[in-house]
Amino acid sequence: MTKKTTLCSKLYMPLKDYPTFNLEKAVCNHGFFMMAPNVWDPSTKQFTRPLRLADSVNSVKVTISQPHDCSLLLIEVHGMECISDLDKEAIRAQVARMMRLSPKDEKDLQEFQNIHPKFKNMGFGRIFCAPSFFEDVVKSMLLCFCSWQNSLTMAKMLCDLQSELSNGLEDNNSCTQGKGLKRKRNVPEYFPESTAKIQSVRNFPSAKELAGIDVEILKDHCKLGLRAKHIHEFAKDYHRGRYRLRNFEKCASHEELYQKLMKIKGCGAYVSNNVLMCLGFYENVPIDTETVRHLQEVHGRKECTLRNAKAITKQIYGSFAPFQCLAFWFELTRFYETKFGRLSLLPSSRYGIVTGSQCGRKNSEENE
DNA sequence: TTGACGCGCATAGTTAGGAT
DNA sequence: ATCCTAACTATGCGCGTCAA
């Protein structure tokens, strides 16, 4: 039994093509790293979360660390004694996506850091994102209509739901509450020898998993409110293959991509621009009340509102083109860190407080 | 005085439809 | 084609009421 819990395989990712890569900086620069199922350990500087295997059905928990010589990333895959080459490839691809380890990302990083020495000195330029396009879109949708704390809670509940789905909801009366959960348990069809030993882990749900359940369950179980309908529709379309990333990447420009994203229900300007940032297109700054607050507070643009924020961001960040978004995010991250300390050292219990609006509220109270 | 409760308002981003 | 605005809906907060 003890042998089962200590099962662990090790993978390595060479970093010779990414000489300035720093795991702590690559992860702790965007609120998404605080969202379940991501776990950052400030004491060990290790990042842990489940990733999908090549079958896209089963998940394994992995812990990523960067040994002191910095020349590679160590990926520890828990609960697996041996891993097929396809699974290794799938895991590495997801890690590369999250950490921005691609020739295109590296080229962007260097161009961005050449704009101003401060970006290079701070090691800033890689925006952490999800291991899949689907998770990026859904998490961006979770940012709407609610507080940051609520977004964190919804992500956590989606992961709880995924855990129950992977354990077979049809057997779980506590969560069905008579609502007729009909989802069939996924039966692994690939690599039976490698998946046989996989223990259930609590991952972010896949499009297939969300498409297979009733929207009301999604709404009630995860407290998604009106987002449930949009996320469910997106999951169904995604599962049908409507949003294959290859199709998106064929777009000639970020503007074309933006128009495609805007056609997704529940995906407005803010969500679309946030997703574009995750996809490595940095020209449009996502504008929400937090952006407005930042422009008012940090840039002294008191006249800034949601209506004129787009024009103001063009004035302020235009000179950073095509990396306006990175420049904005750099400022925002620094603002948070002056308020709350280094994000990479923040205990997870305090993640919910990381918003500028709460700073503003606190400051205004202090000023009164 | 305190706590529970309910109501109304403000807030948030997206959507849809009308105006320019 | 673009801009503007009301409606939508979940959530949080403030306030008033009532009972203990």
Side-chain angles (χ1 to χ4, degrees), chain A residues 31 34 147-153 290 293 335-343 345-362:
Chain A
M34 303 175 191
S147 64
W148 171 237
Q149 175 62 62
N150 197 16
S151 301
L152 293 175
T153 304
E290 185 68 353
R293 179 209 55 76
F335 174 82
Y336 289 151
E337 296 203 326
T338 57
K339 294 283 178 185
F340 307 111
R342 270 167 63 188
L343 297 182
L345 297 178
L346 207 62
S348 58
S349 58
R350 299 193 71 212
Y351 284 169
I353 66 164
V354 185
T355 76
S357 52
Q358 288 199 357
C359 301
R361 194 176 301 166
K362 193 183 170 193

PDB file of all heavy atoms in Angstrom, chain A residues 31 34 147-153 290 293 335-343 345-362:
ATOM      1  N   GLY A  31      -3.096  35.816 -12.116  1.00  0.00           N
ATOM      2  CA  GLY A  31      -4.017  35.239 -11.134  1.00  0.00           C
ATOM      3  C   GLY A  31      -4.368  33.788 -11.385  1.00  0.00           C
ATOM      4  O   GLY A  31      -4.754  33.069 -10.465  1.00  0.00           O
ATOM      5  N   MET A  34      -3.281  30.985  -9.143  1.00  0.00           N
ATOM      6  CA  MET A  34      -3.946  30.813  -7.848  1.00  0.00           C
ATOM      7  C   MET A  34      -5.215  29.959  -7.965  1.00  0.00           C
ATOM      8  O   MET A  34      -5.806  29.573  -6.970  1.00  0.00           O
ATOM      9  CB  MET A  34      -4.340  32.186  -7.272  1.00  0.00           C
ATOM     10  CG  MET A  34      -3.189  33.137  -7.109  1.00  0.00           C
ATOM     11  SD  MET A  34      -3.766  34.751  -6.574  1.00  0.00           S
ATOM     12  CE  MET A  34      -2.282  35.734  -6.771  1.00  0.00           C
ATOM     13  N   SER A 147     -16.631  38.697  -7.838  1.00  0.00           N
ATOM     14  CA  SER A 147     -15.377  39.044  -7.185  1.00  0.00           C
ATOM     15  C   SER A 147     -14.314  38.000  -7.526  1.00  0.00           C
ATOM     16  O   SER A 147     -14.629  36.886  -7.948  1.00  0.00           O
ATOM     17  CB  SER A 147     -15.582  39.084  -5.681  1.00  0.00           C
ATOM     18  OG  SER A 147     -15.932  37.796  -5.219  1.00  0.00           O
ATOM     19  N   TRP A 148     -13.071  38.369  -7.314  1.00  0.00           N
ATOM     20  CA  TRP A 148     -11.947  37.455  -7.549  1.00  0.00           C
ATOM     21  C   TRP A 148     -12.077  36.232  -6.651  1.00  0.00           C
ATOM     22  O   TRP A 148     -11.850  35.096  -7.071  1.00  0.00           O
ATOM     23  CB  TRP A 148     -10.643  38.204  -7.312  1.00  0.00           C
ATOM     24  CG  TRP A 148      -9.404  37.368  -7.302  1.00  0.00           C
ATOM     25  CD1 TRP A 148      -8.491  37.272  -6.295  1.00  0.00           C
ATOM     26  CD2 TRP A 148      -8.929  36.497  -8.345  1.00  0.00           C
ATOM     27  NE1 TRP A 148      -7.482  36.412  -6.648  1.00  0.00           N
ATOM     28  CE2 TRP A 148      -7.722  35.923  -7.897  1.00  0.00           C
ATOM     29  CE3 TRP A 148      -9.408  36.156  -9.609  1.00  0.00           C
ATOM     30  CZ2 TRP A 148      -6.988  35.019  -8.672  1.00  0.00           C
ATOM     31  CZ3 TRP A 148      -8.676  35.249 -10.374  1.00  0.00           C
ATOM     32  CH2 TRP A 148      -7.489  34.702  -9.915  1.00  0.00           C
ATOM     33  N   GLN A 149     -12.469  36.461  -5.404  1.00  0.00           N
ATOM     34  CA  GLN A 149     -12.641  35.356  -4.459  1.00  0.00           C
ATOM     35  C   GLN A 149     -13.663  34.353  -4.997  1.00  0.00           C
ATOM     36  O   GLN A 149     -13.479  33.138  -4.921  1.00  0.00           O
ATOM     37  CB  GLN A 149     -13.090  35.896  -3.094  1.00  0.00           C
ATOM     38  CG  GLN A 149     -13.421  34.822  -2.066  1.00  0.00           C
ATOM     39  CD  GLN A 149     -12.226  33.929  -1.726  1.00  0.00           C
ATOM     40  OE1 GLN A 149     -11.212  34.407  -1.220  1.00  0.00           O
ATOM     41  NE2 GLN A 149     -12.318  32.637  -2.018  1.00  0.00           N
ATOM     42  N   ASN A 150     -14.734  34.890  -5.575  1.00  0.00           N
ATOM     43  CA  ASN A 150     -15.779  34.033  -6.112  1.00  0.00           C
ATOM     44  C   ASN A 150     -15.266  33.237  -7.322  1.00  0.00           C
ATOM     45  O   ASN A 150     -15.595  32.058  -7.484  1.00  0.00           O
ATOM     46  CB  ASN A 150     -16.998  34.876  -6.498  1.00  0.00           C
ATOM     47  CG  ASN A 150     -18.239  34.034  -6.664  1.00  0.00           C
ATOM     48  OD1 ASN A 150     -18.283  32.888  -6.217  1.00  0.00           O
ATOM     49  ND2 ASN A 150     -19.234  34.582  -7.313  1.00  0.00           N
ATOM     50  N   SER A 151     -14.446  33.872  -8.137  1.00  0.00           N
ATOM     51  CA  SER A 151     -13.855  33.177  -9.290  1.00  0.00           C
ATOM     52  C   SER A 151     -13.008  32.000  -8.816  1.00  0.00           C
ATOM     53  O   SER A 151     -13.055  30.912  -9.397  1.00  0.00           O
ATOM     54  CB  SER A 151     -12.971  34.133 -10.102  1.00  0.00           C
ATOM     55  OG  SER A 151     -13.719  35.222 -10.561  1.00  0.00           O
ATOM     56  N   LEU A 152     -12.239  32.218  -7.754  1.00  0.00           N
ATOM     57  CA  LEU A 152     -11.405  31.144  -7.196  1.00  0.00           C
ATOM     58  C   LEU A 152     -12.277  29.994  -6.696  1.00  0.00           C
ATOM     59  O   LEU A 152     -11.961  28.816  -6.907  1.00  0.00           O
ATOM     60  CB  LEU A 152     -10.550  31.686  -6.043  1.00  0.00           C
ATOM     61  CG  LEU A 152      -9.462  32.703  -6.386  1.00  0.00           C
ATOM     62  CD1 LEU A 152      -8.788  33.223  -5.121  1.00  0.00           C
ATOM     63  CD2 LEU A 152      -8.424  32.106  -7.323  1.00  0.00           C
ATOM     64  N   THR A 153     -13.381  30.362  -6.038  1.00  0.00           N
ATOM     65  CA  THR A 153     -14.286  29.338  -5.500  1.00  0.00           C
ATOM     66  C   THR A 153     -14.918  28.522  -6.622  1.00  0.00           C
ATOM     67  O   THR A 153     -15.011  27.295  -6.528  1.00  0.00           O
ATOM     68  CB  THR A 153     -15.392  30.012  -4.654  1.00  0.00           C
ATOM     69  OG1 THR A 153     -14.763  30.798  -3.634  1.00  0.00           O
ATOM     70  CG2 THR A 153     -16.300  28.985  -4.007  1.00  0.00           C
ATOM     71  N   GLU A 290     -11.150  46.561 -12.959  1.00  0.00           N
ATOM     72  CA  GLU A 290      -9.807  46.530 -12.393  1.00  0.00           C
ATOM     73  C   GLU A 290      -8.843  47.353 -13.271  1.00  0.00           C
ATOM     74  O   GLU A 290      -7.976  48.059 -12.760  1.00  0.00           O
ATOM     75  CB  GLU A 290      -9.343  45.065 -12.290  1.00  0.00           C
ATOM     76  CG  GLU A 290      -8.018  44.860 -11.607  1.00  0.00           C
ATOM     77  CD  GLU A 290      -8.026  45.177 -10.117  1.00  0.00           C
ATOM     78  OE1 GLU A 290      -9.028  45.697  -9.603  1.00  0.00           O
ATOM     79  OE2 GLU A 290      -6.998  44.945  -9.477  1.00  0.00           O
ATOM     80  N   ARG A 293      -9.644  50.963 -12.632  1.00  0.00           N
ATOM     81  CA  ARG A 293      -9.085  51.376 -11.340  1.00  0.00           C
ATOM     82  C   ARG A 293      -7.578  51.611 -11.467  1.00  0.00           C
ATOM     83  O   ARG A 293      -7.033  52.583 -10.957  1.00  0.00           O
ATOM     84  CB  ARG A 293      -9.350  50.294 -10.280  1.00  0.00           C
ATOM     85  CG  ARG A 293      -8.772  50.631  -8.909  1.00  0.00           C
ATOM     86  CD  ARG A 293      -8.404  49.393  -8.130  1.00  0.00           C
ATOM     87  NE  ARG A 293      -7.496  48.514  -8.835  1.00  0.00           N
ATOM     88  CZ  ARG A 293      -6.194  48.749  -8.985  1.00  0.00           C
ATOM     89  NH1 ARG A 293      -5.647  49.843  -8.480  1.00  0.00           N
ATOM     90  NH2 ARG A 293      -5.431  47.912  -9.665  1.00  0.00           N
ATOM     91  N   PHE A 335       2.028  46.438  -8.935  1.00  0.00           N
ATOM     92  CA  PHE A 335       1.093  47.118  -8.019  1.00  0.00           C
ATOM     93  C   PHE A 335       0.635  46.150  -6.921  1.00  0.00           C
ATOM     94  O   PHE A 335       0.643  46.480  -5.735  1.00  0.00           O
ATOM     95  CB  PHE A 335      -0.107  47.645  -8.815  1.00  0.00           C
ATOM     96  CG  PHE A 335      -1.186  48.232  -7.945  1.00  0.00           C
ATOM     97  CD1 PHE A 335      -1.090  49.536  -7.474  1.00  0.00           C
ATOM     98  CD2 PHE A 335      -2.293  47.475  -7.582  1.00  0.00           C
ATOM     99  CE1 PHE A 335      -2.081  50.068  -6.663  1.00  0.00           C
ATOM    100  CE2 PHE A 335      -3.284  48.008  -6.775  1.00  0.00           C
ATOM    101  CZ  PHE A 335      -3.186  49.312  -6.317  1.00  0.00           C
ATOM    102  N   TYR A 336       0.250  44.953  -7.337  1.00  0.00           N
ATOM    103  CA  TYR A 336      -0.204  43.952  -6.358  1.00  0.00           C
ATOM    104  C   TYR A 336       0.920  43.608  -5.379  1.00  0.00           C
ATOM    105  O   TYR A 336       0.686  43.449  -4.183  1.00  0.00           O
ATOM    106  CB  TYR A 336      -0.658  42.670  -7.068  1.00  0.00           C
ATOM    107  CG  TYR A 336      -1.947  42.787  -7.844  1.00  0.00           C
ATOM    108  CD1 TYR A 336      -2.183  41.994  -8.964  1.00  0.00           C
ATOM    109  CD2 TYR A 336      -2.938  43.678  -7.453  1.00  0.00           C
ATOM    110  CE1 TYR A 336      -3.367  42.093  -9.688  1.00  0.00           C
ATOM    111  CE2 TYR A 336      -4.118  43.783  -8.172  1.00  0.00           C
ATOM    112  CZ  TYR A 336      -4.327  42.997  -9.283  1.00  0.00           C
ATOM    113  OH  TYR A 336      -5.489  43.094  -9.984  1.00  0.00           O
ATOM    114  N   GLU A 337       2.124  43.499  -5.930  1.00  0.00           N
ATOM    115  CA  GLU A 337       3.235  43.080  -5.069  1.00  0.00           C
ATOM    116  C   GLU A 337       3.639  44.167  -4.077  1.00  0.00           C
ATOM    117  O   GLU A 337       4.110  43.860  -2.985  1.00  0.00           O
ATOM    118  CB  GLU A 337       4.417  42.602  -5.922  1.00  0.00           C
ATOM    119  CG  GLU A 337       4.032  41.353  -6.721  1.00  0.00           C
ATOM    120  CD  GLU A 337       5.199  40.490  -7.152  1.00  0.00           C
ATOM    121  OE1 GLU A 337       6.274  41.044  -7.429  1.00  0.00           O
ATOM    122  OE2 GLU A 337       5.016  39.249  -7.233  1.00  0.00           O
ATOM    123  N   THR A 338       3.419  45.431  -4.442  1.00  0.00           N
ATOM    124  CA  THR A 338       3.694  46.488  -3.457  1.00  0.00           C
ATOM    125  C   THR A 338       2.637  46.474  -2.351  1.00  0.00           C
ATOM    126  O   THR A 338       2.913  46.868  -1.228  1.00  0.00           O
ATOM    127  CB  THR A 338       3.705  47.898  -4.105  1.00  0.00           C
ATOM    128  OG1 THR A 338       2.445  48.096  -4.750  1.00  0.00           O
ATOM    129  CG2 THR A 338       4.820  48.037  -5.103  1.00  0.00           C
ATOM    130  N   LYS A 339       1.448  45.997  -2.695  1.00  0.00           N
ATOM    131  CA  LYS A 339       0.362  45.948  -1.695  1.00  0.00           C
ATOM    132  C   LYS A 339       0.437  44.693  -0.828  1.00  0.00           C
ATOM    133  O   LYS A 339       0.197  44.735   0.370  1.00  0.00           O
ATOM    134  CB  LYS A 339      -1.007  45.964  -2.400  1.00  0.00           C
ATOM    135  CG  LYS A 339      -1.315  47.253  -3.121  1.00  0.00           C
ATOM    136  CD  LYS A 339      -1.742  48.336  -2.152  1.00  0.00           C
ATOM    137  CE  LYS A 339      -2.001  49.648  -2.884  1.00  0.00           C
ATOM    138  NZ  LYS A 339      -2.298  50.743  -1.955  1.00  0.00           N
ATOM    139  N   PHE A 340       0.712  43.560  -1.479  1.00  0.00           N
ATOM    140  CA  PHE A 340       0.563  42.268  -0.782  1.00  0.00           C
ATOM    141  C   PHE A 340       1.880  41.508  -0.607  1.00  0.00           C
ATOM    142  O   PHE A 340       1.902  40.435  -0.035  1.00  0.00           O
ATOM    143  CB  PHE A 340      -0.423  41.369  -1.543  1.00  0.00           C
ATOM    144  CG  PHE A 340      -1.744  42.027  -1.812  1.00  0.00           C
ATOM    145  CD1 PHE A 340      -2.119  42.372  -3.103  1.00  0.00           C
ATOM    146  CD2 PHE A 340      -2.618  42.326  -0.760  1.00  0.00           C
ATOM    147  CE1 PHE A 340      -3.331  42.995  -3.352  1.00  0.00           C
ATOM    148  CE2 PHE A 340      -3.832  42.950  -1.013  1.00  0.00           C
ATOM    149  CZ  PHE A 340      -4.187  43.289  -2.303  1.00  0.00           C
ATOM    150  N   GLY A 341       2.969  42.055  -1.133  1.00  0.00           N
ATOM    151  CA  GLY A 341       4.226  41.318  -1.095  1.00  0.00           C
ATOM    152  C   GLY A 341       4.327  40.414  -2.312  1.00  0.00           C
ATOM    153  O   GLY A 341       3.406  40.360  -3.137  1.00  0.00           O
ATOM    154  N   ARG A 342       5.450  39.723  -2.428  1.00  0.00           N
ATOM    155  CA  ARG A 342       5.645  38.872  -3.610  1.00  0.00           C
ATOM    156  C   ARG A 342       4.548  37.828  -3.718  1.00  0.00           C
ATOM    157  O   ARG A 342       4.266  37.105  -2.759  1.00  0.00           O
ATOM    158  CB  ARG A 342       7.009  38.209  -3.550  1.00  0.00           C
ATOM    159  CG  ARG A 342       8.096  39.048  -4.216  1.00  0.00           C
ATOM    160  CD  ARG A 342       9.462  38.560  -3.889  1.00  0.00           C
ATOM    161  NE  ARG A 342       9.694  37.211  -4.395  1.00  0.00           N
ATOM    162  CZ  ARG A 342      10.782  36.513  -4.085  1.00  0.00           C
ATOM    163  NH1 ARG A 342      11.688  37.031  -3.293  1.00  0.00           N
ATOM    164  NH2 ARG A 342      10.951  35.300  -4.567  1.00  0.00           N
ATOM    165  N   LEU A 343       3.940  37.743  -4.900  1.00  0.00           N
ATOM    166  CA  LEU A 343       2.826  36.805  -5.101  1.00  0.00           C
ATOM    167  C   LEU A 343       3.284  35.367  -4.881  1.00  0.00           C
ATOM    168  O   LEU A 343       2.523  34.532  -4.407  1.00  0.00           O
ATOM    169  CB  LEU A 343       2.247  36.958  -6.512  1.00  0.00           C
ATOM    170  CG  LEU A 343       1.632  38.323  -6.846  1.00  0.00           C
ATOM    171  CD1 LEU A 343       1.060  38.312  -8.250  1.00  0.00           C
ATOM    172  CD2 LEU A 343       0.548  38.711  -5.846  1.00  0.00           C
ATOM    173  N   LEU A 345       5.172  34.293  -2.700  1.00  0.00           N
ATOM    174  CA  LEU A 345       5.317  33.971  -1.277  1.00  0.00           C
ATOM    175  C   LEU A 345       3.974  33.999  -0.545  1.00  0.00           C
ATOM    176  O   LEU A 345       3.899  33.690   0.638  1.00  0.00           O
ATOM    177  CB  LEU A 345       6.279  34.974  -0.607  1.00  0.00           C
ATOM    178  CG  LEU A 345       7.710  34.975  -1.135  1.00  0.00           C
ATOM    179  CD1 LEU A 345       8.546  36.033  -0.441  1.00  0.00           C
ATOM    180  CD2 LEU A 345       8.351  33.600  -0.953  1.00  0.00           C
ATOM    181  N   LEU A 346       2.941  34.380  -1.262  1.00  0.00           N
ATOM    182  CA  LEU A 346       1.622  34.526  -0.644  1.00  0.00           C
ATOM    183  C   LEU A 346       1.021  33.153  -0.306  1.00  0.00           C
ATOM    184  O   LEU A 346       0.981  32.277  -1.169  1.00  0.00           O
ATOM    185  CB  LEU A 346       0.706  35.250  -1.634  1.00  0.00           C
ATOM    186  CG  LEU A 346      -0.453  36.074  -1.107  1.00  0.00           C
ATOM    187  CD1 LEU A 346       0.038  37.221  -0.233  1.00  0.00           C
ATOM    188  CD2 LEU A 346      -1.273  36.603  -2.270  1.00  0.00           C
ATOM    189  N   PRO A 347       0.565  32.957   0.937  1.00  0.00           N
ATOM    190  CA  PRO A 347      -0.102  31.687   1.239  1.00  0.00           C
ATOM    191  C   PRO A 347      -1.432  31.601   0.501  1.00  0.00           C
ATOM    192  O   PRO A 347      -2.092  32.624   0.286  1.00  0.00           O
ATOM    193  CB  PRO A 347      -0.313  31.747   2.756  1.00  0.00           C
ATOM    194  CG  PRO A 347      -0.220  33.181   3.120  1.00  0.00           C
ATOM    195  CD  PRO A 347       0.640  33.855   2.096  1.00  0.00           C
ATOM    196  N   SER A 348      -1.828  30.405   0.117  1.00  0.00           N
ATOM    197  CA  SER A 348      -3.044  30.241  -0.692  1.00  0.00           C
ATOM    198  C   SER A 348      -4.288  30.780   0.015  1.00  0.00           C
ATOM    199  O   SER A 348      -5.246  31.190  -0.631  1.00  0.00           O
ATOM    200  CB  SER A 348      -3.235  28.774  -1.060  1.00  0.00           C
ATOM    201  OG  SER A 348      -3.322  27.987   0.107  1.00  0.00           O
ATOM    202  N   SER A 349      -4.260  30.813   1.358  1.00  0.00           N
ATOM    203  CA  SER A 349      -5.419  31.315   2.104  1.00  0.00           C
ATOM    204  C   SER A 349      -5.655  32.802   1.842  1.00  0.00           C
ATOM    205  O   SER A 349      -6.735  33.314   2.085  1.00  0.00           O
ATOM    206  CB  SER A 349      -5.213  31.079   3.601  1.00  0.00           C
ATOM    207  OG  SER A 349      -4.025  31.725   4.036  1.00  0.00           O
ATOM    208  N   ARG A 350      -4.645  33.483   1.311  1.00  0.00           N
ATOM    209  CA  ARG A 350      -4.776  34.927   1.070  1.00  0.00           C
ATOM    210  C   ARG A 350      -5.001  35.273  -0.405  1.00  0.00           C
ATOM    211  O   ARG A 350      -5.065  36.457  -0.764  1.00  0.00           O
ATOM    212  CB  ARG A 350      -3.549  35.671   1.592  1.00  0.00           C
ATOM    213  CG  ARG A 350      -3.334  35.501   3.098  1.00  0.00           C
ATOM    214  CD  ARG A 350      -2.309  36.486   3.613  1.00  0.00           C
ATOM    215  NE  ARG A 350      -2.818  37.856   3.624  1.00  0.00           N
ATOM    216  CZ  ARG A 350      -2.067  38.940   3.419  1.00  0.00           C
ATOM    217  NH1 ARG A 350      -0.793  38.801   3.168  1.00  0.00           N
ATOM    218  NH2 ARG A 350      -2.604  40.143   3.455  1.00  0.00           N
ATOM    219  N   TYR A 351      -5.108  34.265  -1.259  1.00  0.00           N
ATOM    220  CA  TYR A 351      -5.259  34.541  -2.688  1.00  0.00           C
ATOM    221  C   TYR A 351      -6.473  35.436  -2.979  1.00  0.00           C
ATOM    222  O   TYR A 351      -6.430  36.280  -3.869  1.00  0.00           O
ATOM    223  CB  TYR A 351      -5.399  33.229  -3.477  1.00  0.00           C
ATOM    224  CG  TYR A 351      -4.107  32.470  -3.658  1.00  0.00           C
ATOM    225  CD1 TYR A 351      -4.118  31.165  -4.148  1.00  0.00           C
ATOM    226  CD2 TYR A 351      -2.880  33.038  -3.351  1.00  0.00           C
ATOM    227  CE1 TYR A 351      -2.942  30.445  -4.328  1.00  0.00           C
ATOM    228  CE2 TYR A 351      -1.699  32.328  -3.518  1.00  0.00           C
ATOM    229  CZ  TYR A 351      -1.735  31.031  -4.002  1.00  0.00           C
ATOM    230  OH  TYR A 351      -0.575  30.329  -4.180  1.00  0.00           O
ATOM    231  N   GLY A 352      -7.537  35.226  -2.212  1.00  0.00           N
ATOM    232  CA  GLY A 352      -8.775  35.959  -2.474  1.00  0.00           C
ATOM    233  C   GLY A 352      -8.674  37.463  -2.287  1.00  0.00           C
ATOM    234  O   GLY A 352      -9.482  38.222  -2.821  1.00  0.00           O
ATOM    235  N   ILE A 353      -7.651  37.914  -1.557  1.00  0.00           N
ATOM    236  CA  ILE A 353      -7.545  39.358  -1.298  1.00  0.00           C
ATOM    237  C   ILE A 353      -6.826  40.100  -2.412  1.00  0.00           C
ATOM    238  O   ILE A 353      -6.790  41.325  -2.422  1.00  0.00           O
ATOM    239  CB  ILE A 353      -6.785  39.642   0.026  1.00  0.00           C
ATOM    240  CG1 ILE A 353      -5.322  39.200  -0.106  1.00  0.00           C
ATOM    241  CG2 ILE A 353      -7.464  38.971   1.202  1.00  0.00           C
ATOM    242  CD1 ILE A 353      -4.414  39.761   0.965  1.00  0.00           C
ATOM    243  N   VAL A 354      -6.235  39.349  -3.361  1.00  0.00           N
ATOM    244  CA  VAL A 354      -5.413  40.001  -4.381  1.00  0.00           C
ATOM    245  C   VAL A 354      -6.280  40.657  -5.453  1.00  0.00           C
ATOM    246  O   VAL A 354      -6.492  40.120  -6.526  1.00  0.00           O
ATOM    247  CB  VAL A 354      -4.416  39.015  -5.030  1.00  0.00           C
ATOM    248  CG1 VAL A 354      -3.502  39.742  -5.998  1.00  0.00           C
ATOM    249  CG2 VAL A 354      -3.585  38.345  -3.956  1.00  0.00           C
ATOM    250  N   THR A 355      -6.827  41.811  -5.118  1.00  0.00           N
ATOM    251  CA  THR A 355      -7.498  42.640  -6.115  1.00  0.00           C
ATOM    252  C   THR A 355      -7.244  44.091  -5.758  1.00  0.00           C
ATOM    253  O   THR A 355      -7.153  44.441  -4.586  1.00  0.00           O
ATOM    254  CB  THR A 355      -9.030  42.435  -6.167  1.00  0.00           C
ATOM    255  OG1 THR A 355      -9.616  43.094  -5.053  1.00  0.00           O
ATOM    256  CG2 THR A 355      -9.416  40.990  -6.186  1.00  0.00           C
ATOM    257  N   GLY A 356      -7.114  44.888  -6.791  1.00  0.00           N
ATOM    258  CA  GLY A 356      -6.878  46.308  -6.563  1.00  0.00           C
ATOM    259  C   GLY A 356      -8.080  47.012  -5.993  1.00  0.00           C
ATOM    260  O   GLY A 356      -7.959  47.978  -5.243  1.00  0.00           O
ATOM    261  N   SER A 357      -9.269  46.512  -6.336  1.00  0.00           N
ATOM    262  CA  SER A 357     -10.479  47.190  -5.861  1.00  0.00           C
ATOM    263  C   SER A 357     -10.565  47.141  -4.350  1.00  0.00           C
ATOM    264  O   SER A 357     -11.018  48.064  -3.706  1.00  0.00           O
ATOM    265  CB  SER A 357     -11.727  46.573  -6.491  1.00  0.00           C
ATOM    266  OG  SER A 357     -11.726  45.183  -6.299  1.00  0.00           O
ATOM    267  N   GLN A 358     -10.089  46.023  -3.763  1.00  0.00           N
ATOM    268  CA  GLN A 358     -10.117  45.944  -2.310  1.00  0.00           C
ATOM    269  C   GLN A 358      -9.085  46.890  -1.711  1.00  0.00           C
ATOM    270  O   GLN A 358      -9.295  47.445  -0.661  1.00  0.00           O
ATOM    271  CB  GLN A 358      -9.863  44.508  -1.853  1.00  0.00           C
ATOM    272  CG  GLN A 358     -11.071  43.637  -2.146  1.00  0.00           C
ATOM    273  CD  GLN A 358     -11.051  42.367  -1.332  1.00  0.00           C
ATOM    274  OE1 GLN A 358     -10.109  42.102  -0.594  1.00  0.00           O
ATOM    275  NE2 GLN A 358     -12.095  41.586  -1.454  1.00  0.00           N
ATOM    276  N   CYS A 359      -7.943  47.042  -2.457  1.00  0.00           N
ATOM    277  CA  CYS A 359      -6.947  47.999  -1.971  1.00  0.00           C
ATOM    278  C   CYS A 359      -7.581  49.378  -1.936  1.00  0.00           C
ATOM    279  O   CYS A 359      -7.442  50.124  -0.980  1.00  0.00           O
ATOM    280  CB  CYS A 359      -5.752  48.093  -2.918  1.00  0.00           C
ATOM    281  SG  CYS A 359      -4.920  46.563  -3.171  1.00  0.00           S
ATOM    282  N   GLY A 360      -8.283  49.690  -3.021  1.00  0.00           N
ATOM    283  CA  GLY A 360      -8.902  51.006  -3.131  1.00  0.00           C
ATOM    284  C   GLY A 360      -9.876  51.250  -2.015  1.00  0.00           C
ATOM    285  O   GLY A 360      -9.892  52.324  -1.398  1.00  0.00           O
ATOM    286  N   ARG A 361     -10.671  50.202  -1.726  1.00  0.00           N
ATOM    287  CA  ARG A 361     -11.663  50.338  -0.672  1.00  0.00           C
ATOM    288  C   ARG A 361     -10.972  50.595   0.666  1.00  0.00           C
ATOM    289  O   ARG A 361     -11.330  51.470   1.417  1.00  0.00           O
ATOM    290  CB  ARG A 361     -12.512  49.063  -0.602  1.00  0.00           C
ATOM    291  CG  ARG A 361     -13.756  49.236   0.209  1.00  0.00           C
ATOM    292  CD  ARG A 361     -14.589  47.982   0.144  1.00  0.00           C
ATOM    293  NE  ARG A 361     -14.967  47.639  -1.213  1.00  0.00           N
ATOM    294  CZ  ARG A 361     -15.455  46.460  -1.549  1.00  0.00           C
ATOM    295  NH1 ARG A 361     -15.590  45.512  -0.680  1.00  0.00           N
ATOM    296  NH2 ARG A 361     -15.790  46.228  -2.788  1.00  0.00           N
ATOM    297  N   LYS A 362      -9.925  49.800   0.874  1.00  0.00           N
ATOM    298  CA  LYS A 362      -9.204  49.916   2.136  1.00  0.00           C
ATOM    299  C   LYS A 362      -8.599  51.318   2.256  1.00  0.00           C
ATOM    300  O   LYS A 362      -8.699  51.974   3.275  1.00  0.00           O
ATOM    301  CB  LYS A 362      -8.096  48.857   2.202  1.00  0.00           C
ATOM    302  CG  LYS A 362      -7.501  48.696   3.579  1.00  0.00           C
ATOM    303  CD  LYS A 362      -6.370  47.701   3.530  1.00  0.00           C
ATOM    304  CE  LYS A 362      -5.617  47.716   4.844  1.00  0.00           C
ATOM    305  NZ  LYS A 362      -4.356  47.021   4.744  1.00  0.00           N
TER     306      LYS A 362
END
